[in-house]
């Protein structure tokens, strides 16, 4: 059965991380149990450069900037991509927050592949907020990765 | 992972629902369920969970599933477990799914106190079950 062309369902978008950034580069493991919507924004900060002698505004846009990447997971304490342990060099999200590792990560669309519908960047885990409902609902965590430095959009470099 | 239940939560306490044609009091309890997909045996699993919690049930004798089960004529109490539609499935991007059926447990019995006692046994056995794999 062929894929739809044009508009796509967002279901099946994945985020993958380098569990061991000290090992071979580009070895990604998909974060388990991604729930909820995944949102990542890009922008350029603005500077108002309107001179006194003009009656219309002028702006200069600054450097290409990334919003924090926020996503949710159904938290499994001993899942390799979630766990808090810092033993060894392979760390899950909470472990990476503890060690402040810088690592490669990948956001891929539902039908993404190497260099296709794929964003690659380096960054660090900035936040990990775990929730255990008292009555109804799975154990979850809201996570944030902060990108830093050059990144690739579908194989094209942005630096 | 089949027959794995994240939670079984009673929506209400047992309440007197009806008096049937044999003069037996009918109690009803409704449950919301979250189960790891695929989950095809909810009715049997609820009976099994109640049995393991100490409720004296034998499927086909004093516990029945599905609307086609013949209703015995004795005083009971008799337990009927019926799956209900529930609400839509929860999903992750990775393909993990959680089904969210609901279930109704009916207890028919005479006298009233016997039906009520069995209804509360079922209520206490099932309400608040969490993270349980039914063997």
């Amino acid at each position: 059965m062929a894929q739809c062309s044009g508009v796509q369902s967002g279901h099946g978008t994945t985020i993958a991380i380098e569990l061991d950034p000290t090992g071979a580069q580009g070895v990604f493991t998909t974060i388990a149990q991604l729930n909820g919507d995944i949102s990542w924004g890009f922008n350029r900060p603005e500077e108002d450069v309107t001179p006194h002698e003009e009656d219309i505004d002028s702006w200069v846009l600054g450097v290409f900037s990334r919003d924090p990447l926020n996503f949710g997971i159904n938290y499994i304490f001993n899942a390799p991509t979630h766990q808090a342990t810092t033993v060894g060099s392979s760390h899950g999200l909470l472990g990476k927050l503890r060690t402040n590792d810088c690592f490669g990560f990948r956001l891929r669309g539902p039908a993404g592949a190497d260099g296709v519908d794929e964003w690659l960047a380096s960054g660090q885990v900035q936040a990990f907020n775990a929730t255990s409902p008292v009555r109804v609902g799975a154990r979850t965590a809201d996570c944030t990765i902060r990108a830093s430095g050059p990144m690739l959009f579908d194989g094209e470099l942005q630096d | 992972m089949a027959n794995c239940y994240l939670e079984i939560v009673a929506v209400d306490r047992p309440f007197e629902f009806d008096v049937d044609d044999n003069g037996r009091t009918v109690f009803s309890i409704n449950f919301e369920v979250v189960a790891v997909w695929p989950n095809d045996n909810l009715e049997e699993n609820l009976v099994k969970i109640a049995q393991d919690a100490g409720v004296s049930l034998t499927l086909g004798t004093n516990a029945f599933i599905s609307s086609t089960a013949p209703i015995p004529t004795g005083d009971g109490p008799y337990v009927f477990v019926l799956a209900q539609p529930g609400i839509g499935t929860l999903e992750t991007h990775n393909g993990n799914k959680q089904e969210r059926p609901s279930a109704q447990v009916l207890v028919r019995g005479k006298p009233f106190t016997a039906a009520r006692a069995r209804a509360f046994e079922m209520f206490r056995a099932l309400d608040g079950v969490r993270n349980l794999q039914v063997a």
Side-chain angles (χ1 to χ4, degrees):
Chain A
M1 194 173 296
Q3 285 276 335
C4 293
S5 61
V7 65
Q8 277 189 320
S9 165
H11 179 81
T13 299
T14 59
I15 302 171
I17 57 176
E18 289 178 326
L19 287 178
D20 180 5
T22 66
Q25 275 195 340
V27 177
F28 292 99
T29 304
T30 299
I31 297 171
Q33 302 263 350
L34 288 161
N35 66 24
D37 296 341
I38 298 170
S39 300
W40 199 11
F42 310 101
N43 62 86
R44 289 182 181 270
E46 61 185 19
E47 180 79 20
D48 185 350
V49 295
T50 307
H52 285 282
E53 64 267 26
E54 291 188 10
D55 193 29
I56 192 163
D57 59 339
S58 298
W59 301 87
V60 166
L61 298 185
V63 300
F64 186 88
S65 301
R66 280 77 52 93
D67 292 341
L69 172 61
N70 297 309
F71 57 94
I73 56 174
N74 295 330
Y75 176 42
I76 301 168
F77 82 98
N78 57 354
T81 55
H82 298 180
Q83 61 190 358
T85 182
T86 58
V87 174
S89 54
S90 282
H91 304 150
L93 289 165
L94 187 48
K96 289 183 184 307
L97 178 63
R98 294 178 62 203
T99 57
N100 209 18
D101 282 354
C102 190
F103 57 93
F105 66 95
R106 180 185 74 197
L107 187 69
R108 236 182 213 180
D114 285 347
V116 176
D117 196 9
E118 175 185 75
W119 302 338
L120 295 174
S122 297
Q124 295 160 284
V125 175
Q126 184 173 38
F128 190 98
N129 296 302
T131 300
S132 294
V134 66
R135 178 164 166 83
V136 175
R139 203 176 173 194
T140 60
D142 292 324
C143 310
T144 301
I145 294 177
R146 205 59 159 107
S148 185
M151 68 180 288
L152 293 168
F153 287 94
D154 298 342
E156 292 184 8
L157 180 65
Q158 177 72 40
D159 64 359
Chain B
M1 188 181 299
N3 303 324
C4 181
Y5 294 88
L6 269 72
E7 55 206 21
I8 301 170
V9 179
V11 175
D12 44 46
R13 291 174 84 244
F15 63 97
E16 193 178 340
F17 178 66
D18 194 11
V19 177
D20 70 8
D21 293 341
N22 291 303
R24 295 172 299 199
T25 308
V26 182
F27 275 84
S28 174
I29 319 145
N30 297 294
F31 296 91
E32 290 179 341
V33 179
V34 181
V36 175
W37 178 91
N39 183 271
D40 299 337
N41 303 310
L42 175 64
E43 297 90 334
E44 293 94 325
N45 287 341
L46 293 180
V47 172
K48 181 70 162 63
I49 292 168
Q51 285 173 325
D52 291 349
V55 184
S56 180
L57 296 176
T58 304
L59 207 54
T61 302
N62 65 350
F64 304 90
I65 61 175
S66 101
S67 53
T68 60
I71 301 175
T73 54
D75 288 350
Y78 303 109
V79 171
F80 294 81
V81 179
L82 303 168
Q84 304 289 322
I87 54 177
T89 302
L90 290 171
E91 296 183 83
T92 68
H93 287 278
N94 314 73
N96 316 96
K97 295 184 184 181
Q98 296 165 22
E99 298 182 16
R100 297 187 291 177
S102 49
Q104 183 180 34
V105 172
L106 294 174
V107 177
R108 298 172 186 268
K110 189 191 293 185
F112 163 86
T113 49
R116 183 179 61 185
R118 179 52 47 89
F120 272 90
E121 283 183 327
M122 292 298 294
F123 170 62
R124 308 234 182 265
L126 294 176
D127 181 39
V129 167
R130 301 238 160 57
N131 298 322
L132 181 68
Q133 173 89 44
V134 177

